[in-house]
Amino acid sequence: MDQAEWKLLKEIADLEKTPQGAYNIRRNGQLDSRSNTANIEITTKTEPGKSGIDIHIKPGTKHESVHIPVIISQTGLSEMVYNDFFIGEDCDVDIVAGCGIHNTGCETSQHDGLHTFYIGKNSKVRYVERHYGEGPGTGKRIMNPQTVVYLEEGASLNMESTQIRGVDSTKRETKIVAGKGAEVVITEKLLTHGQQTAESDMEIILDGEDASGRVISRSVAQDDSQQVFYPKMTGNAKCFGHVQCDSIIMGQARISSIPAIVANHVDAQLIHEAAIGRIAGDQILKLMTLGLTEQEAEEKILDGFLQ
């Protein structure tokens, strides 16, 4: 890989060298490198018309990680990838995914991916997904991730999804079904600028007794960019769910936040909150009195908001 491709890996997976443990690096539509462990096996899909991988994690696997980044440095490349995760019972693992596009040409480069997770009883999964785009070319950088998760009894998922700059268009679709006593925590961070557009369609279904779900969405829309959020929490049993969407709007940007809660059981306790606003002037002035320029103060506030 060249320097630009290693930079992509750093941005999306915090990798400066080949990772420890199990990994699968996809580069320009092809397998670049792969490693398995005694407990984690990654295999290439054999179904006709389906490009992607299957990841099998043995029951009882603890404190191991899987890295599956995708990088694209070829202008005009468009791909659809299907990745399936089969996580056994009583696991405790980290999964790091994401896509980076470096486009130097005038054609559109696009990555669409469907990640489906089957998380076994009492297993804990931390899933980190980052999307990033760059490059001097005029061609667009498009990413459309889909995530589907099924949690068995007592399982938990902590998902962090981040997209900060560089992606011209994205449609993010997430569906999670939580069984009895399962727990879901989703943190979404998004920044758009220029003419970029972003849509996030998220559905959390609390299907089992004592399931719980929490969605925390924070976004910043700058310049003429547009964002639309559709977070939906459905309670089909005794459960607890909370949806919180906070956005900062700047310039001529537009943001729509349309949260929904649906209770199909008398003991479903669901809450939603949504707020959109601009940066308060007194916050900028306070930082400027400490020696920062107006632009530096603004960037400091945005960095803190998106942490």
Side-chain angles (χ1 to χ4, degrees):
M1 290 185 287
D2 60 26
Q3 185 176 359
E5 291 170 329
W6 277 111
K7 182 184 177 185
L8 291 179
L9 279 181
K10 173 65 176 176
E11 293 287 347
I12 65 173
D14 202 25
L15 293 176
E16 295 180 341
K17 59 182 181 179
T18 301
Q20 298 277 332
Y23 66 86
N24 186 96
I25 299 176
R26 182 182 179 94
R27 179 167 66 101
N28 291 328
Q30 303 292 328
L31 172 65
D32 179 84
S33 58
R34 175 184 296 167
S35 177
N36 292 324
T37 69
N39 295 319
I40 302 175
E41 182 182 21
I42 304 172
T43 58
T44 301
K45 281 192 176 298
T46 58
E47 301 171 58
K50 273 195 174 184
S51 180
I53 55 177
D54 291 332
I55 301 96
H56 290 266
I57 301 178
K58 291 182 179 180
T61 300
K62 306 281 187 181
H63 311 303
E64 292 198 38
S65 63
V66 187
H67 288 77
I68 56 162
V70 173
I71 56 175
I72 296 176
S73 58
Q74 177 182 327
T75 189
L77 177 65
S78 180
E79 64 177 359
M80 176 70 195
V81 177
Y82 301 84
N83 296 334
D84 292 335
F85 302 78
F86 303 90
I87 297 119
E89 296 183 0
D90 298 309
C91 292
D92 188 344
V93 295
D94 292 346
I95 299 172
V96 181
C99 178
I101 295 178
H102 181 81
N103 196 347
T104 60
C106 59
E107 297 180 73
T108 295
S109 294
Q110 179 170 340
H111 174 79
D112 298 344
L114 171 58
H115 288 185
T116 305
F117 294 79
Y118 304 90
I119 303 178
K121 186 177 180 180
N122 297 324
S123 284
K124 297 180 179 180
V125 175
R126 179 176 175 265
Y127 176 52
V128 178
E129 183 181 69
R130 298 174 184 153
H131 296 108
Y132 173 76
E134 62 171 27
T138 57
K140 291 186 176 181
R141 300 172 291 268
I142 298 175
M143 302 181 196
N144 297 311
Q146 300 177 58
T147 305
V148 179
V149 183
Y150 301 96
L151 294 106
E152 294 186 12
E153 180 179 349
S156 67
L157 171 71
N158 190 322
M159 176 177 170
E160 299 178 14
S161 180
T162 304
Q163 178 181 302
I164 305 297
R165 296 192 177 277
V167 179
D168 294 290
S169 173
T170 185
K171 183 173 182 180
R172 310 156 68 85
E173 298 181 64
T174 305
K175 179 180 179 181
I176 299 178
V177 181
K180 181 179 179 181
E183 180 183 22
V184 181
V185 178
I186 300 178
T187 304
E188 182 178 59
K189 304 172 188 177
L190 178 66
L191 186 147
T192 56
H193 58 96
Q195 302 289 328
Q196 295 173 354
T197 61
E199 180 179 329
S200 178
D201 192 339
M202 188 182 300
E203 182 177 16
I204 315 300
I205 301 172
L206 304 177
D207 215 31
E209 183 178 358
D210 294 323
S212 65
R214 186 180 182 190
V215 175
I216 304 167
S217 176
R218 291 199 166 188
S219 74
V220 176
Q222 299 176 321
D223 306 322
D224 294 300
S225 64
Q226 299 180 42
Q227 300 178 4
V228 183
F229 296 91
Y230 296 101
K232 180 180 179 182
M233 187 82 69
T234 300
N236 292 331
K238 177 188 174 184
C239 61
F240 176 80
H242 185 197
V243 178
Q244 179 182 343
C245 301
D246 295 320
S247 300
I248 291 178
I249 188 168
M250 305 172 68
Q252 303 301 312
R254 288 185 286 173
I255 302 175
S256 297
S257 185
I258 311 166
I261 50 176
V262 178
N264 294 323
H265 191 280
V266 67
D267 290 321
Q269 183 180 355
L270 307 173
I271 304 167
H272 77 66
E273 304 173 74
I276 302 173
R278 61 185 300 174
I279 298 175
D282 58 347
Q283 290 180 297
I284 294 179
L285 288 174
K286 183 176 180 179
L287 290 175
M288 290 177 67
T289 61
L290 300 176
L292 275 66
T293 66
E294 183 176 355
Q295 182 178 354
E296 289 171 339
E298 188 178 273
E299 290 177 354
K300 180 70 72 175
I301 292 169
L302 295 181
D303 287 343
F305 177 75
L306 291 171
Q307 289 300 317

PDB file of all heavy atoms in Angstrom, residues 7-8 22 35 44 49 78-79 81 85 100 104-105 119 131 137 142 159 162 179 193 209 221 235 246 271 298:
ATOM      1  N   LYS A   7      -2.686   6.227   5.115  1.00  0.00           N
ATOM      2  CA  LYS A   7      -3.371   7.328   5.802  1.00  0.00           C
ATOM      3  C   LYS A   7      -4.849   7.010   5.968  1.00  0.00           C
ATOM      4  O   LYS A   7      -5.452   7.289   7.021  1.00  0.00           O
ATOM      5  CB  LYS A   7      -3.209   8.638   5.025  1.00  0.00           C
ATOM      6  CG  LYS A   7      -3.875   9.825   5.730  1.00  0.00           C
ATOM      7  CD  LYS A   7      -3.798  11.098   4.914  1.00  0.00           C
ATOM      8  CE  LYS A   7      -4.545  12.218   5.634  1.00  0.00           C
ATOM      9  NZ  LYS A   7      -4.597  13.462   4.831  1.00  0.00           N
ATOM     10  N   LEU A   8      -5.464   6.413   4.949  1.00  0.00           N
ATOM     11  CA  LEU A   8      -6.861   6.004   5.064  1.00  0.00           C
ATOM     12  C   LEU A   8      -7.045   5.011   6.210  1.00  0.00           C
ATOM     13  O   LEU A   8      -7.989   5.115   6.999  1.00  0.00           O
ATOM     14  CB  LEU A   8      -7.348   5.384   3.753  1.00  0.00           C
ATOM     15  CG  LEU A   8      -7.497   6.298   2.543  1.00  0.00           C
ATOM     16  CD1 LEU A   8      -7.973   5.494   1.340  1.00  0.00           C
ATOM     17  CD2 LEU A   8      -8.464   7.448   2.821  1.00  0.00           C
ATOM     18  N   ALA A  22      -7.063 -11.087  14.475  1.00  0.00           N
ATOM     19  CA  ALA A  22      -7.732 -11.369  13.206  1.00  0.00           C
ATOM     20  C   ALA A  22      -7.992 -10.070  12.443  1.00  0.00           C
ATOM     21  O   ALA A  22      -8.369  -9.059  13.032  1.00  0.00           O
ATOM     22  CB  ALA A  22      -9.046 -12.104  13.463  1.00  0.00           C
ATOM     23  N   SER A  35      -5.736 -12.368   8.249  1.00  0.00           N
ATOM     24  CA  SER A  35      -5.172 -13.226   9.282  1.00  0.00           C
ATOM     25  C   SER A  35      -6.292 -13.749  10.169  1.00  0.00           C
ATOM     26  O   SER A  35      -7.200 -12.993  10.532  1.00  0.00           O
ATOM     27  CB  SER A  35      -4.152 -12.454  10.130  1.00  0.00           C
ATOM     28  OG  SER A  35      -3.655 -13.259  11.174  1.00  0.00           O
ATOM     29  N   THR A  44     -13.869 -16.063   2.732  1.00  0.00           N
ATOM     30  CA  THR A  44     -14.458 -15.349   1.606  1.00  0.00           C
ATOM     31  C   THR A  44     -15.786 -15.981   1.222  1.00  0.00           C
ATOM     32  O   THR A  44     -15.929 -17.204   1.185  1.00  0.00           O
ATOM     33  CB  THR A  44     -13.506 -15.393   0.399  1.00  0.00           C
ATOM     34  OG1 THR A  44     -12.257 -14.798   0.776  1.00  0.00           O
ATOM     35  CG2 THR A  44     -14.088 -14.638  -0.788  1.00  0.00           C
ATOM     36  N   GLY A  49     -22.549 -13.797  -7.064  1.00  0.00           N
ATOM     37  CA  GLY A  49     -23.046 -12.428  -7.062  1.00  0.00           C
ATOM     38  C   GLY A  49     -22.903 -11.692  -5.744  1.00  0.00           C
ATOM     39  O   GLY A  49     -23.352 -10.551  -5.621  1.00  0.00           O
ATOM     40  N   SER A  78     -16.876   1.186  -8.009  1.00  0.00           N
ATOM     41  CA  SER A  78     -18.146   1.099  -7.286  1.00  0.00           C
ATOM     42  C   SER A  78     -18.348  -0.350  -6.879  1.00  0.00           C
ATOM     43  O   SER A  78     -18.224  -1.263  -7.703  1.00  0.00           O
ATOM     44  CB  SER A  78     -19.307   1.573  -8.167  1.00  0.00           C
ATOM     45  OG  SER A  78     -20.535   1.487  -7.470  1.00  0.00           O
ATOM     46  N   GLU A  79     -18.667  -0.582  -5.605  1.00  0.00           N
ATOM     47  CA  GLU A  79     -18.800  -1.947  -5.124  1.00  0.00           C
ATOM     48  C   GLU A  79     -19.898  -2.068  -4.077  1.00  0.00           C
ATOM     49  O   GLU A  79     -20.250  -1.105  -3.392  1.00  0.00           O
ATOM     50  CB  GLU A  79     -17.482  -2.447  -4.534  1.00  0.00           C
ATOM     51  CG  GLU A  79     -17.022  -1.679  -3.305  1.00  0.00           C
ATOM     52  CD  GLU A  79     -15.747  -2.260  -2.701  1.00  0.00           C
ATOM     53  OE1 GLU A  79     -15.235  -3.265  -3.209  1.00  0.00           O
ATOM     54  OE2 GLU A  79     -15.270  -1.692  -1.695  1.00  0.00           O
ATOM     55  N   VAL A  81     -20.694  -4.788  -0.890  1.00  0.00           N
ATOM     56  CA  VAL A  81     -20.043  -5.840  -0.106  1.00  0.00           C
ATOM     57  C   VAL A  81     -21.004  -6.353   0.964  1.00  0.00           C
ATOM     58  O   VAL A  81     -21.712  -5.564   1.606  1.00  0.00           O
ATOM     59  CB  VAL A  81     -18.751  -5.315   0.551  1.00  0.00           C
ATOM     60  CG1 VAL A  81     -18.122  -6.373   1.430  1.00  0.00           C
ATOM     61  CG2 VAL A  81     -17.762  -4.862  -0.518  1.00  0.00           C
ATOM     62  N   PHE A  85     -21.456 -11.646  10.405  1.00  0.00           N
ATOM     63  CA  PHE A  85     -20.731 -11.940  11.638  1.00  0.00           C
ATOM     64  C   PHE A  85     -21.544 -12.939  12.468  1.00  0.00           C
ATOM     65  O   PHE A  85     -22.707 -12.684  12.785  1.00  0.00           O
ATOM     66  CB  PHE A  85     -20.526 -10.668  12.465  1.00  0.00           C
ATOM     67  CG  PHE A  85     -19.774  -9.583  11.745  1.00  0.00           C
ATOM     68  CD1 PHE A  85     -20.410  -8.776  10.795  1.00  0.00           C
ATOM     69  CD2 PHE A  85     -18.438  -9.341  12.012  1.00  0.00           C
ATOM     70  CE1 PHE A  85     -19.728  -7.767  10.140  1.00  0.00           C
ATOM     71  CE2 PHE A  85     -17.748  -8.336  11.359  1.00  0.00           C
ATOM     72  CZ  PHE A  85     -18.390  -7.549  10.418  1.00  0.00           C
ATOM     73  N   GLY A 100     -12.574   4.024   3.831  1.00  0.00           N
ATOM     74  CA  GLY A 100     -11.922   5.268   3.453  1.00  0.00           C
ATOM     75  C   GLY A 100     -11.747   5.337   1.953  1.00  0.00           C
ATOM     76  O   GLY A 100     -11.349   4.360   1.313  1.00  0.00           O
ATOM     77  N   THR A 104      -8.664  10.704  -6.591  1.00  0.00           N
ATOM     78  CA  THR A 104      -7.840  11.700  -7.271  1.00  0.00           C
ATOM     79  C   THR A 104      -8.346  12.025  -8.675  1.00  0.00           C
ATOM     80  O   THR A 104      -7.766  12.867  -9.353  1.00  0.00           O
ATOM     81  CB  THR A 104      -6.389  11.196  -7.379  1.00  0.00           C
ATOM     82  OG1 THR A 104      -6.372   9.967  -8.123  1.00  0.00           O
ATOM     83  CG2 THR A 104      -5.794  10.960  -5.999  1.00  0.00           C
ATOM     84  N   GLY A 105      -9.416  11.346  -9.103  1.00  0.00           N
ATOM     85  CA  GLY A 105      -9.897  11.516 -10.472  1.00  0.00           C
ATOM     86  C   GLY A 105     -11.216  12.256 -10.550  1.00  0.00           C
ATOM     87  O   GLY A 105     -11.683  12.879  -9.591  1.00  0.00           O
ATOM     88  N   ILE A 119     -25.533 -12.108  17.253  1.00  0.00           N
ATOM     89  CA  ILE A 119     -24.786 -12.072  18.503  1.00  0.00           C
ATOM     90  C   ILE A 119     -25.402 -13.052  19.493  1.00  0.00           C
ATOM     91  O   ILE A 119     -26.575 -12.915  19.863  1.00  0.00           O
ATOM     92  CB  ILE A 119     -24.743 -10.646  19.082  1.00  0.00           C
ATOM     93  CG1 ILE A 119     -24.135  -9.679  18.052  1.00  0.00           C
ATOM     94  CG2 ILE A 119     -23.952 -10.615  20.385  1.00  0.00           C
ATOM     95  CD1 ILE A 119     -24.091  -8.241  18.503  1.00  0.00           C
ATOM     96  N   HIS A 131     -16.192   6.312   8.689  1.00  0.00           N
ATOM     97  CA  HIS A 131     -16.186   6.594   7.257  1.00  0.00           C
ATOM     98  C   HIS A 131     -15.480   7.923   7.007  1.00  0.00           C
ATOM     99  O   HIS A 131     -15.692   8.904   7.724  1.00  0.00           O
ATOM    100  CB  HIS A 131     -17.617   6.630   6.715  1.00  0.00           C
ATOM    101  CG  HIS A 131     -18.321   5.315   6.817  1.00  0.00           C
ATOM    102  ND1 HIS A 131     -19.328   5.082   7.719  1.00  0.00           N
ATOM    103  CD2 HIS A 131     -18.126   4.150   6.144  1.00  0.00           C
ATOM    104  CE1 HIS A 131     -19.738   3.832   7.593  1.00  0.00           C
ATOM    105  NE2 HIS A 131     -19.028   3.251   6.658  1.00  0.00           N
ATOM    106  N   GLY A 137      -9.275  14.999  -6.372  1.00  0.00           N
ATOM    107  CA  GLY A 137     -10.075  14.831  -7.577  1.00  0.00           C
ATOM    108  C   GLY A 137     -11.453  15.462  -7.466  1.00  0.00           C
ATOM    109  O   GLY A 137     -11.947  15.755  -6.375  1.00  0.00           O
ATOM    110  N   ILE A 142     -18.826   8.413  -2.286  1.00  0.00           N
ATOM    111  CA  ILE A 142     -20.150   8.025  -1.799  1.00  0.00           C
ATOM    112  C   ILE A 142     -20.039   6.748  -0.971  1.00  0.00           C
ATOM    113  O   ILE A 142     -19.373   5.790  -1.379  1.00  0.00           O
ATOM    114  CB  ILE A 142     -21.129   7.811  -2.970  1.00  0.00           C
ATOM    115  CG1 ILE A 142     -21.317   9.118  -3.752  1.00  0.00           C
ATOM    116  CG2 ILE A 142     -22.480   7.297  -2.477  1.00  0.00           C
ATOM    117  CD1 ILE A 142     -22.172   8.975  -4.994  1.00  0.00           C
ATOM    118  N   MET A 159     -22.241   0.303  19.821  1.00  0.00           N
ATOM    119  CA  MET A 159     -21.872   0.655  18.445  1.00  0.00           C
ATOM    120  C   MET A 159     -21.536   2.131  18.349  1.00  0.00           C
ATOM    121  O   MET A 159     -22.300   2.989  18.777  1.00  0.00           O
ATOM    122  CB  MET A 159     -23.034   0.319  17.503  1.00  0.00           C
ATOM    123  CG  MET A 159     -22.818   0.728  16.052  1.00  0.00           C
ATOM    124  SD  MET A 159     -24.212   0.194  15.014  1.00  0.00           S
ATOM    125  CE  MET A 159     -23.833   1.056  13.484  1.00  0.00           C
ATOM    126  N   THR A 162     -19.062   6.833  13.059  1.00  0.00           N
ATOM    127  CA  THR A 162     -18.520   8.183  12.899  1.00  0.00           C
ATOM    128  C   THR A 162     -18.263   8.487  11.431  1.00  0.00           C
ATOM    129  O   THR A 162     -17.690   7.680  10.710  1.00  0.00           O
ATOM    130  CB  THR A 162     -17.200   8.329  13.679  1.00  0.00           C
ATOM    131  OG1 THR A 162     -17.414   8.008  15.052  1.00  0.00           O
ATOM    132  CG2 THR A 162     -16.661   9.747  13.578  1.00  0.00           C
ATOM    133  N   GLY A 179     -33.267  -9.114  21.955  1.00  0.00           N
ATOM    134  CA  GLY A 179     -34.034 -10.135  22.649  1.00  0.00           C
ATOM    135  C   GLY A 179     -34.127  -9.872  24.145  1.00  0.00           C
ATOM    136  O   GLY A 179     -33.766  -8.793  24.637  1.00  0.00           O
ATOM    137  N   HIS A 193     -20.331  19.209   5.178  1.00  0.00           N
ATOM    138  CA  HIS A 193     -19.978  20.568   4.785  1.00  0.00           C
ATOM    139  C   HIS A 193     -20.127  20.678   3.271  1.00  0.00           C
ATOM    140  O   HIS A 193     -20.421  19.692   2.582  1.00  0.00           O
ATOM    141  CB  HIS A 193     -18.552  20.913   5.234  1.00  0.00           C
ATOM    142  CG  HIS A 193     -17.513  19.982   4.677  1.00  0.00           C
ATOM    143  ND1 HIS A 193     -16.777  20.256   3.547  1.00  0.00           N
ATOM    144  CD2 HIS A 193     -17.081  18.766   5.103  1.00  0.00           C
ATOM    145  CE1 HIS A 193     -15.939  19.263   3.296  1.00  0.00           C
ATOM    146  NE2 HIS A 193     -16.106  18.337   4.229  1.00  0.00           N
ATOM    147  N   GLU A 209     -38.411  -9.113  26.835  1.00  0.00           N
ATOM    148  CA  GLU A 209     -38.634  -8.536  28.155  1.00  0.00           C
ATOM    149  C   GLU A 209     -37.314  -8.031  28.748  1.00  0.00           C
ATOM    150  O   GLU A 209     -36.278  -8.707  28.659  1.00  0.00           O
ATOM    151  CB  GLU A 209     -39.248  -9.587  29.081  1.00  0.00           C
ATOM    152  CG  GLU A 209     -39.596  -9.063  30.466  1.00  0.00           C
ATOM    153  CD  GLU A 209     -40.244 -10.122  31.338  1.00  0.00           C
ATOM    154  OE1 GLU A 209     -40.450 -11.248  30.842  1.00  0.00           O
ATOM    155  OE2 GLU A 209     -40.537  -9.824  32.501  1.00  0.00           O
ATOM    156  N   ALA A 221     -23.859  20.395  10.730  1.00  0.00           N
ATOM    157  CA  ALA A 221     -24.065  20.663   9.306  1.00  0.00           C
ATOM    158  C   ALA A 221     -23.554  22.060   8.997  1.00  0.00           C
ATOM    159  O   ALA A 221     -24.027  23.046   9.573  1.00  0.00           O
ATOM    160  CB  ALA A 221     -25.537  20.536   8.934  1.00  0.00           C
ATOM    161  N   GLY A 235     -40.962  -0.609  21.208  1.00  0.00           N
ATOM    162  CA  GLY A 235     -40.984  -1.505  22.355  1.00  0.00           C
ATOM    163  C   GLY A 235     -42.096  -2.518  22.233  1.00  0.00           C
ATOM    164  O   GLY A 235     -43.278  -2.145  22.214  1.00  0.00           O
ATOM    165  N   ASP A 246     -28.975  15.589  18.917  1.00  0.00           N
ATOM    166  CA  ASP A 246     -28.538  16.975  19.071  1.00  0.00           C
ATOM    167  C   ASP A 246     -27.747  17.389  17.835  1.00  0.00           C
ATOM    168  O   ASP A 246     -26.847  16.663  17.405  1.00  0.00           O
ATOM    169  CB  ASP A 246     -27.651  17.135  20.308  1.00  0.00           C
ATOM    170  CG  ASP A 246     -28.411  16.849  21.603  1.00  0.00           C
ATOM    171  OD1 ASP A 246     -29.579  17.263  21.697  1.00  0.00           O
ATOM    172  OD2 ASP A 246     -27.840  16.203  22.498  1.00  0.00           O
ATOM    173  N   ILE A 271     -38.543   7.154  25.493  1.00  0.00           N
ATOM    174  CA  ILE A 271     -38.336   8.602  25.562  1.00  0.00           C
ATOM    175  C   ILE A 271     -37.593   9.054  24.312  1.00  0.00           C
ATOM    176  O   ILE A 271     -36.678   8.366  23.854  1.00  0.00           O
ATOM    177  CB  ILE A 271     -37.497   8.989  26.804  1.00  0.00           C
ATOM    178  CG1 ILE A 271     -38.154   8.473  28.089  1.00  0.00           C
ATOM    179  CG2 ILE A 271     -37.284  10.499  26.875  1.00  0.00           C
ATOM    180  CD1 ILE A 271     -37.239   8.541  29.301  1.00  0.00           C
ATOM    181  N   GLU A 298     -14.443  28.371  17.276  1.00  0.00           N
ATOM    182  CA  GLU A 298     -15.526  27.593  16.663  1.00  0.00           C
ATOM    183  C   GLU A 298     -15.126  26.133  16.511  1.00  0.00           C
ATOM    184  O   GLU A 298     -15.902  25.226  16.840  1.00  0.00           O
ATOM    185  CB  GLU A 298     -15.857  28.200  15.304  1.00  0.00           C
ATOM    186  CG  GLU A 298     -17.069  27.622  14.627  1.00  0.00           C
ATOM    187  CD  GLU A 298     -17.347  28.324  13.320  1.00  0.00           C
ATOM    188  OE1 GLU A 298     -18.046  29.364  13.345  1.00  0.00           O
ATOM    189  OE2 GLU A 298     -16.852  27.876  12.261  1.00  0.00           O
TER     190      GLU A 298
END
